[in-house]
């Protein structure tokens, strides 16, 4: 089977409001991050399938004859998403030499790739190709790194298999697929996430697919049609934490003090809904300082609520103190107990203020990036002369230079949630 070259990217994600409350039936808002994962699929004539993961200095290669032995029984359709094939997963785990329950980063990335590759090409001739993946997303920080990887895999392999057409015109730098095609990409990306996480919510891969902002309530994910692009600082405190332990702690507190904690959850729900309303207004009328005032107040209130839930941490308190001293407003994003926080930047925020804030946060031992939320989901990009949306990676068919600060060649895993 002859395939052509493809270059795709997908964003990471952050929770704007509603973390932990969403577990108890409240609204959460998830937004795309303008920190992206990039994938290059290159057709070859080597008779091999190769995957290159520069973040972990890994290059793996298999002869097509080896892989064909794994799909002799397989008769799936590449334009239909089947239930996760437990037998294929079992065979692949044996194939890569991982039969116990624990998978390291390389094994998870490899297993997810091989599963999607064989599922999409297994009913026909297996193509020879090389896949290279790199990312701006830090790992293990709850920022959707594994989902961005899975979305890129799904989009590139679906295109290469002919299940969806490449939407890019010759004169375009980037292009997006139609709704039906995005739904197919998202469904296959969810398969990859199931291999990595076991029982994912589906939020991360949905954000990676559609971008912008998604409303998540009681298992239902609704992409919002329009949201403003907001500047933020994203800070990783690098404090490790267990999502499972934190979720259990919130549940215990609710059971112990229901008359106190249930109103807190209701308030967080109201914060998410109010934020959604304000952001919607900002897309259809002139943006004012009052819009930003409300967004900042909501951030402050929600951060206090999260501390009441018991998912704060001294490192996150320090983040809020440093930014508030600069007139900026921050909250944790994700599970809490460490991890990451986001800081809203107004359009008029002076660049010197931003630079000094970033430096102070780095002096605290944190990683910090200036980025944005609300950007596009998975995209197909032109291979020649392509540039990322922030202009920091330049390609002429291959990665030729990385000039920006704090580049992270990273993939997996994020916390199991």
């Amino acid at each position: 089977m002859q395939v052509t070259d493809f270059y795709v990217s997908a964003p990471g994600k952050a929770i704007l409001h509603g973390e932990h409350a969403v577990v108890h039936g409240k609204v959460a808002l998830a937004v795309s991050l303008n920190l992206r994962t990039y994938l290059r699929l290159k057709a070859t004539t080597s008779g091999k399938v190769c995957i290159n993961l520069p973040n972990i200095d890994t290059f793996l290669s298999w002869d097509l004859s080896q892989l064909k032995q794994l799909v002799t029984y397989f008769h799936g359709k590449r334009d239909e998403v089947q239930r996760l094939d437990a037998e294929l997963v079992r065979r692949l785990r044996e194939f890569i030499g991982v039969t116990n329950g624990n998978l390291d980063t390389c094994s998870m990335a490899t297993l997810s790739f091989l599963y999607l590759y064989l599922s999409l090409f297994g009913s026909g001739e297996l193509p020879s190709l090389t896949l290279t993946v790199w990312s701006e997303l830090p790992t293990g920080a709850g920022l959707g790194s594994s989902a961005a990887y899975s979305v890129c895999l799904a989009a590139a392999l679906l295109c290469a298999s002919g299940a969806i057409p490449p939407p890019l015109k010759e004169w375009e730098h980037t292009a997006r697929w139609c709704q039906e095609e995005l739904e197919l990409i998202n469904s296959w990306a969810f398969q990859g996430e199931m291999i990595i996480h076991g029982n994912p919510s589906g939020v991360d891969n949905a954000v990676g697919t559609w971008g912008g902002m998604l409303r998540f309530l009681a298992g239902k994910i609704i992409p919002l049609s329009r949201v403003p692009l907001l500047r933020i600082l994203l800070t990783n405190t690098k404090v490790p934490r267990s999502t499972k332990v934190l979720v259990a702690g919130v549940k215990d507190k609710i059971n112990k003090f229901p008359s106190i904690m249930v109103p807190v959850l209701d308030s967080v729900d109201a914060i998410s809904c109010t934020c959604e309303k304000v952001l919607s207004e900002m897309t259809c009328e002139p943006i004012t300082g009052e819009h930003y005032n409300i967004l900042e107040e909501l951030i402050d209130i929600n951060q206090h609520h999260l501390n009441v839930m018991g998912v704060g941490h001294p490192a996150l308190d320090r983040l809020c103190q440093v930014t508030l001293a600069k007139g900026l407003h921050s909250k944790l994003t994700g599970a809490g107990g460490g991890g990451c926080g986001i800081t809203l930047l107004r359009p008029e925020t002076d660049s010197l203020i931003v630079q000094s804030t970033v430096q102070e946060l780095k002096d605290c031992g944190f990683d910090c990036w200036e980025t944005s939320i609300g950007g596009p989901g998975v995209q197909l990009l032109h291979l020649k002369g392509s540039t990322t949306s922030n202009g920091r990676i330049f390609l002429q068919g291959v990665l030729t230079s990385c000039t920006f600060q704090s580049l992270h060649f990273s993939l997996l895993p994020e916390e199991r949630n």
Side-chain angles (χ1 to χ4, degrees), residues 313-354:
H313 189 275
L316 292 165
D317 293 340
R318 182 61 182 148
L319 161 64
C320 293
Q321 291 165 0
V322 168
T323 56
L324 189 59
K326 304 286 187 179
L328 306 174
H329 300 257
S330 305
K331 66 175 286 291
L332 68 84
T333 181
C340 291
I342 54 175
T343 305
L344 182 64
L345 298 176
R346 288 174 174 256
E348 68 270 19
T349 303
D350 189 276
S351 61
L352 293 178
I353 294 291
V354 175

Side-chain angles (χ1 to χ4, degrees), residues 2-113:
Q2 182 61 45
V3 301
T4 55
D5 296 357
F6 294 100
Y7 173 44
V8 300
S9 76
K13 79 92 176 55
I15 301 297
L16 187 57
H17 290 294
E19 46 270 278
H20 288 285
V22 71
V23 177
H24 302 277
K26 307 303 180 182
V27 172
L29 300 179
V31 290
S32 60
L33 284 172
N34 194 24
L35 295 173
R36 302 179 73 89
T37 292
Y38 299 87
L39 182 151
R40 166 80 187 273
L41 185 153
K42 181 175 177 57
T44 68
T45 57
S46 65
K48 295 179 179 294
V49 172
C50 308
I51 184 167
N52 187 16
L53 310 176
N55 62 300
I56 50 176
D57 196 26
T58 297
F59 184 86
L60 299 171
S61 178
W62 306 275
D63 290 329
L64 291 179
S65 58
Q66 292 176 281
L67 297 178
K68 287 176 182 176
Q69 296 175 10
L70 295 168
V71 293
T72 53
Y73 71 97
F74 186 77
H75 301 289
K77 294 182 179 180
R78 63 190 179 216
D79 57 351
E80 295 179 6
V81 182
Q82 312 293 323
R83 293 176 60 183
L84 191 68
D85 190 330
E87 175 61 19
L88 180 56
V89 173
R90 185 190 67 78
R91 289 192 178 205
L92 287 173
R93 288 174 73 101
E94 290 181 354
F95 179 71
I96 66 174
V98 182
T99 55
N100 58 30
N102 297 318
L103 295 175
D104 60 17
T105 298
C106 178
S107 297
M108 285 188 290
T110 302
L111 191 62
S112 183
F113 162 64

Side-chain angles (χ1 to χ4, degrees), residues 220-236:
K220 294 183 179 180
I221 303 169
I222 303 174
L224 303 181
S225 56
R226 295 180 62 196
V227 291
L229 197 67
L230 300 177
R231 293 170 61 211
I232 64 162
L233 294 180
L234 176 67
T235 302
N236 185 1

